[in-house]
Amino acid sequence: KRPTMISAATVILEYVCPTLGALVANMMYAAPFKAIQEAVKRGTLGPLNPTPWAFSSGTSLGLIAYAFHVKNPYMLSANAPGFLMSLYFNMCAAKLRYEEVAAQKMRARMVTFLQQEGGKDGLELWKQNNEAANDPKKEQAALEALVLEKSTPSEPLPISSSHENTVVVLGTIWMILLIFVVFADLDFATKEFVLGCGANLNLLFFYAAPLSTIYTVVTTRNSAMIHIWTMIMNTANGTFWTAYGFAIWNPYIYVLNAAGVALGVVQVILLVLFPRKENPKQNRQEDPTTQQDDSDANLSNVLSA
């Protein structure tokens, strides 16, 4: 019996495309790595939008569950590393969000104190009335204690940031969904439907995240908010998985990936129509937590008075 020959189109669509898709998917998940590292060094997210990272965790977790259920190694290898990377990004984002809020309130308190005490004159008066001022070491310790006291926010800081809440909510939803799929008496097709719809719903939010960016680009006529490398990876990833999804005729794979490709094309068009213009003031308005720059300026003005 002669062996069945596999056509070149089948090889490309059913093997090459998902392999490249898995590779590009991991590159897509890793795309924000350099940006988040720079944000950690600065101590602020700045114009970075961390919301897609929260949905990235939910999307990758859902697709991992779906891959285990249908025994698809391509989908598993495409999302398992991304799930770990998204957890790291979300931890960094939550840390920076909290730090931004705390720093802003501390700077505001310090500015108020210095303004009330008269800036440098107030500090000189404090030194004259403080016995520790005669000993450099004691003076340093006393000044640090004073700064800590006066810069500590009078109101308690939020227990968690909005980004942390988003991650926890998505994680809870997926935990409930997975418990239902594992322990409910459902047939294979029903479980595939539940996992496929859940993963695609999360993927919808992940691909829809750039919509706010697209709106900002159109209204400001400035494409600086579009992260080019992420956009390229998202579009390429969607293209490979759309082709693979059509090849094996799996709507859970091709439907939203095709939508992701369309959004990527829209962003490419916007990059051409509206050239990038870096605008620090715009970035500060887009991210209110970076308003500590204003407090820094006020602090500098008070001390130089």
Side-chain angles (χ1 to χ4, degrees), residues 9 97 111 118 142 151 154 160 179 185 187 222 248 283 296 301 304:
R97 279 296 188 215
V111 167
S151 63
S154 55
S160 61
I179 291 174
D185 186 16
D187 57 28
N222 180 7
I248 63 174
N283 290 345
D296 287 339
N301 291 335
S304 61

Side-chain angles (χ1 to χ4, degrees), residues 217-281:
V217 170
V218 172
T219 54
T220 62
R221 305 180 69 83
N222 180 7
S223 60
M225 281 193 67
I226 296 178
H227 193 276
I228 297 178
W229 186 239
T230 300
M231 177 201 66
I232 293 173
M233 290 298 101
N234 285 351
T235 306
N237 177 68
T239 300
F240 287 126
W241 288 108
T242 299
Y244 175 61
F246 275 117
I248 63 174
W249 201 249
N250 187 327
Y252 300 120
I253 296 178
Y254 68 71
V255 172
L256 283 182
N257 278 296
V261 174
L263 282 174
V265 172
V266 170
Q267 292 182 78
V268 171
I269 295 173
L270 292 177
L271 279 171
V272 175
L273 294 178
F274 307 117
R276 300 172 67 85
K277 301 174 185 177
E278 297 299 335
N279 189 340
K281 291 184 178 180

Side-chain angles (χ1 to χ4, degrees), residues 75-293:
M75 296 185 68
L76 180 62
S77 59
N79 292 280
F83 178 66
L84 298 178
M85 285 186 279
S86 66
L87 290 180
Y88 169 72
F89 295 151
N90 284 312
M91 287 189 289
C92 288
K95 173 175 64 178
L96 291 173
R97 279 296 188 215
Y98 187 87
E99 185 177 337
E100 287 170 347
V101 174
Q104 181 184 352
K105 292 189 175 184
M106 290 176 65
R107 284 172 168 82
R109 286 268 298 176
M110 198 62 196
V111 167
T112 301
F113 163 69
L114 290 176
Q115 287 174 337
Q116 292 174 347
E117 298 296 329
K120 286 185 176 179
D121 295 336
L123 291 177
E124 291 297 330
L125 182 62
W126 176 86
K127 290 181 180 180
Q128 294 174 9
N129 297 330
N130 196 299
E131 297 178 357
N134 297 323
D135 186 329
K137 292 184 178 179
K138 291 183 179 180
E139 178 184 348
Q140 178 69 20
L143 279 171
E144 290 177 358
L146 175 67
V147 170
L148 178 62
E149 174 190 351
K150 298 301 181 180
S151 63
T152 301
S154 55
E155 299 178 357
L157 292 171
I159 297 176
S160 61
S161 67
S162 59
H163 186 74
E164 286 176 282
N165 295 336
T166 302
V167 175
V168 171
V169 169
L170 288 173
T172 303
I173 292 173
W174 270 109
M175 184 61 65
I176 295 172
L177 187 62
L178 291 177
I179 291 174
F180 171 74
V181 169
V182 171
F183 293 101
D185 186 16
L186 304 173
D187 57 28
F188 182 89
T190 304
K191 289 183 178 181
E192 182 182 7
F193 174 79
V194 173
L195 291 173
C197 288
N200 272 275
L201 181 62
N202 215 142
L203 189 61
L204 173 64
F205 284 101
F206 178 73
Y207 276 137
L211 288 176
S212 61
T213 300
I214 291 174
Y215 174 78
T216 303
V217 170
V218 172
T219 54
T220 62
R221 305 180 69 83
N222 180 7
S223 60
M225 281 193 67
I226 296 178
H227 193 276
I228 297 178
W229 186 239
T230 300
M231 177 201 66
I232 293 173
M233 290 298 101
N234 285 351
T235 306
N237 177 68
T239 300
F240 287 126
W241 288 108
T242 299
Y244 175 61
F246 275 117
I248 63 174
W249 201 249
N250 187 327
Y252 300 120
I253 296 178
Y254 68 71
V255 172
L256 283 182
N257 278 296
V261 174
L263 282 174
V265 172
V266 170
Q267 292 182 78
V268 171
I269 295 173
L270 292 177
L271 279 171
V272 175
L273 294 178
F274 307 117
R276 300 172 67 85
K277 301 174 185 177
E278 297 299 335
N279 189 340
K281 291 184 178 180
Q282 178 185 343
N283 290 345
R284 186 160 60 245
Q285 291 171 354
E286 288 162 359
D287 188 355
T289 56
T290 59
Q291 291 176 353
Q292 64 261 30
D293 294 340

